[in-house]
Amino acid sequence: MAPETSATPLNILLLGSGGREHALAVSLAASPRCAQLYVAPGNGGTGLVGTNVALDENDGDAVTAFAQEHNVGLVVIGPEAPLVAGVADSVRAAGIPCFGPGAAGAQMEGSKKFSKELMERAGIPTAAYASFTNEADALDYVRKQGAPLVVKADGLAAGKGVIVATELEQAEEAVRECFGGTFGAAGSTVVIEEMLVGPECSLLAFTDGKTVRPMATAQDHKRALEGDKGPNTGGMGVYSPVPIVTDEEHAAMVAVMDNAVAELAAEGIDYRGCLYGGFMLTPQGPKVLEFNARFGDPETQVILPRLENDLVEVMLACAEQRLDSVELSWKPDYAVSVVLTSSGYPGSYEKGKVITGIADAEAMDNVTVYHAGTAVNDEGEIVTAGGRVLDVTALAPTFEEARNRAYEACEKIAFEGKTLRRDIGLRALHGRSAWDA
Ligand code: AMP
Ligand code: GLY
């Protein structure tokens, strides 16, 4: 058999429009296996490495029709919403290889209740919890348990449907907010959890439903403000690998990922894509905070630049269930990515601000600026178009150098309202004891 690398290039359709998708697009486009790359709907960055197409990413029929018309040989689904909507099922039903689970597997992310129950059945360590569809019962429970507690809207809420309540009144208010409709239908079921403490660590894995290949570890910073204060966001900055993880903890996280995929398979769910394990490294060992059915954003922006494999090969192997033939290899460098946001995020913010200095930042060695919320205006300028605007990523042989380089690159970029956390990776720099405070 001819080696895979000499196989015919394919047209690829990538769905999504965030920083994660720009990072995916850069890695896909760099592959000799990639002929034409389409991104739907894409952003100001994906248009530089592929062709942005106006297509409803959540409409399985429209996505499948586009893929058929354009002779697409691989569909890659970035965000959770099309996965939960079953777009992968439509694509696969048409015989087109697809990276991303179908609607059944996407419940790992789409329903916290589903993933909690699966974890229970598989014996996967996670926070103790109860789930409610009724406000009065939820409030009763909260008062009985007392603070601290974590209140979560059950469905998708773009990373914002989780309230870590240190006071009882906060927990009560969070319950009222969820049932009051702040998170839409996502809040009609509410999950209430014990609060876990420790450093967080994400472990993503490629899987074809049988074989699991863990990726490098990454650590996101979810809170809006320095010192991990303020509301939860989609993610303010990230690094990889996570230097404070012990070998024992790493092995426990890998075992969880294997166990989760095995349980899905045992329950008849064919999961092909990325499974994201969000862990808290507690004194009792790693416990799962959440599973996501997709790559992390911004984790992808520090994981993919370190991956030495051809991403198209790996994704095709997942889609075609031959991941057992693939071994992953990683650059030894550290990667640090700082998110530049619009002032006001995760609340309301203005859009359309002209961005300058991206080219100056990218002229630095080993710096890549991934676009998250950007667009191109009528004058051809790159402008802000979202809360998370850019992910400024640097690679270097040491963690400290990577961090310094990322912040130096951030200084070169300007737009009105530019906001960033200056403490991304700071605790990890000081070692594990920085979490004891
Ligand atoms: P999730 O979307 O469930 O991962 O929650 C988002 C963020 O909320 C996590 O990354 C944690 O920072 C925090 N969080 C979620 N669940 C818990 C928990 N049980 N204990 C403490 N923090 C939590
Ligand atoms: N960075 C967190 C997430 O992608 O859910």
Side-chain angles (χ1 to χ4, degrees), residues 48-174:
L48 304 172
V49 287
T51 307
N52 287 348
V53 291
L55 184 63
D56 179 356
E57 62 187 347
N58 296 313
D59 180 340
D61 291 340
V63 168
T64 305
F66 179 94
Q68 285 169 326
E69 277 159 30
H70 294 80
N71 196 24
V72 164
L74 174 66
V75 174
V76 177
I77 304 182
E80 57 277 21
L83 293 166
V84 170
V87 172
D89 299 305
S90 309
V91 172
R92 270 195 280 272
I96 301 169
C98 181
F99 184 88
Q107 292 177 91
M108 284 297 267
E109 172 163 10
S111 165
K112 295 201 186 284
K113 189 165 176 282
F114 174 91
S115 71
K116 279 289 197 186
E117 288 173 358
L118 182 129
M119 284 188 259
E120 248 172 16
R121 292 193 292 272
I124 292 173
T126 185
Y129 79 105
S131 93
F132 299 90
T133 50
N134 169 301
E135 181 174 322
D137 293 346
L139 285 173
D140 260 3
Y141 178 81
V142 162
R143 287 175 194 134
K144 261 188 220 122
Q145 294 291 313
L149 281 176
V150 181
V151 180
K152 302 183 175 188
D154 182 67
L156 297 179
K160 293 161 208 156
V162 174
I163 298 99
V164 180
T166 46
E167 307 294 331
L168 182 63
E169 299 78 64
Q170 259 181 307
E172 290 177 344
E173 194 190 314

Side-chain angles (χ1 to χ4, degrees), residues 31 35 38 53 55 64 96 130 226 260 296 310 347 353 366 382 405 424:
S31 164
Y38 300 103
V53 291
L55 184 63
T64 305
I96 301 169
E226 283 166 21
D310 181 319
K353 309 294 180 194
N366 291 312
I382 301 277
R405 192 174 298 182
I424 302 304

Side-chain angles (χ1 to χ4, degrees), residues 112-415:
K112 295 201 186 284
K113 189 165 176 282
F114 174 91
S115 71
K116 279 289 197 186
E117 288 173 358
L118 182 129
M119 284 188 259
E120 248 172 16
R121 292 193 292 272
I124 292 173
T126 185
Y129 79 105
S131 93
F132 299 90
T133 50
N134 169 301
E135 181 174 322
D137 293 346
L139 285 173
D140 260 3
Y141 178 81
V142 162
R143 287 175 194 134
K144 261 188 220 122
Q145 294 291 313
L149 281 176
V150 181
V151 180
K152 302 183 175 188
D154 182 67
L156 297 179
K160 293 161 208 156
V162 174
I163 298 99
V164 180
T166 46
E167 307 294 331
L168 182 63
E169 299 78 64
Q170 259 181 307
E172 290 177 344
E173 194 190 314
V175 166
R176 284 190 209 102
E177 253 194 289
C178 284
F179 285 110
T182 304
F183 305 110
S188 60
T189 299
V190 171
V191 171
I192 300 173
E193 287 186 5
E194 83 179 289
M195 188 180 86
L196 302 176
V197 288
E200 287 187 45
C201 182
S202 305
L203 183 67
L204 284 61
F206 288 105
T207 181
D208 61 2
K210 297 184 288 197
T211 301
V212 180
R213 293 279 185 249
M215 298 184 217
T217 51
Q219 188 177 60
D220 190 7
H221 295 61
K222 294 270 172 76
R223 301 295 194 96
L225 306 176
E226 283 166 21
D228 293 323
K229 304 252 176 351
N232 267 322
T233 68
M236 296 296 291
V238 60
Y239 57 82
S240 172
V242 185
I244 54 146
V245 175
T246 66
D247 291 346
E248 199 185 351
E249 286 168 335
H250 190 263
M253 290 191 287
V254 169
V256 163
M257 300 309 288
D258 284 340
N259 200 347
V261 171
E263 183 65 26
L264 284 163
E267 297 183 14
I269 294 178
D270 175 10
Y271 193 108
R272 305 182 202 182
C274 176
L275 182 64
Y276 166 131
F279 293 87
M280 190 78 96
L281 306 178
T282 76
Q284 294 78 40
K287 293 191 180 180
V288 173
L289 291 173
E290 62 168 345
F291 283 111
N292 291 321
R294 47 155 179 94
F295 277 93
D297 188 348
E299 285 89 339
T300 309
Q301 291 87 305
V302 287
I303 291 172
L304 290 185
R306 298 188 55 238
L307 179 66
E308 288 178 326
N309 301 64
D310 181 319
L311 184 63
V312 176
E313 297 287 350
V314 180
M315 288 187 156
L316 268 179
C318 291
E320 295 171 344
Q321 291 201 297
R322 45 182 181 75
L323 191 61
D324 57 345
S325 66
V326 173
E327 297 293 339
L328 302 181
S329 62
W330 301 94
K331 290 180 192 163
D333 287 346
Y334 283 90
V336 174
S337 186
V338 178
V339 180
L340 302 183
T341 65
S342 300
S343 167
Y345 174 79
S348 62
Y349 50 82
E350 292 179 15
K351 296 183 186 176
K353 309 294 180 194
V354 175
I355 306 170
T356 58
I358 294 176
D360 294 338
E362 289 204 304
M364 291 174 61
D365 279 344
N366 291 312
V367 169
T368 307
V369 180
Y370 295 112
H371 293 229
T374 73
V376 181
N377 69 10
D378 292 342
E379 283 77 48
E381 297 162 315
I382 301 277
V383 295
T384 66
R388 293 193 288 176
V389 179
L390 297 169
D391 306 304
V392 182
T393 306
L395 264 71
T398 69
F399 186 62
E400 191 166 12
E401 261 177 89
R403 199 174 168 267
N404 291 342
R405 192 174 298 182
Y407 278 110
E408 199 184 317
C410 288
E411 290 309 312
K412 297 185 186 291
I413 297 172
F415 58 88

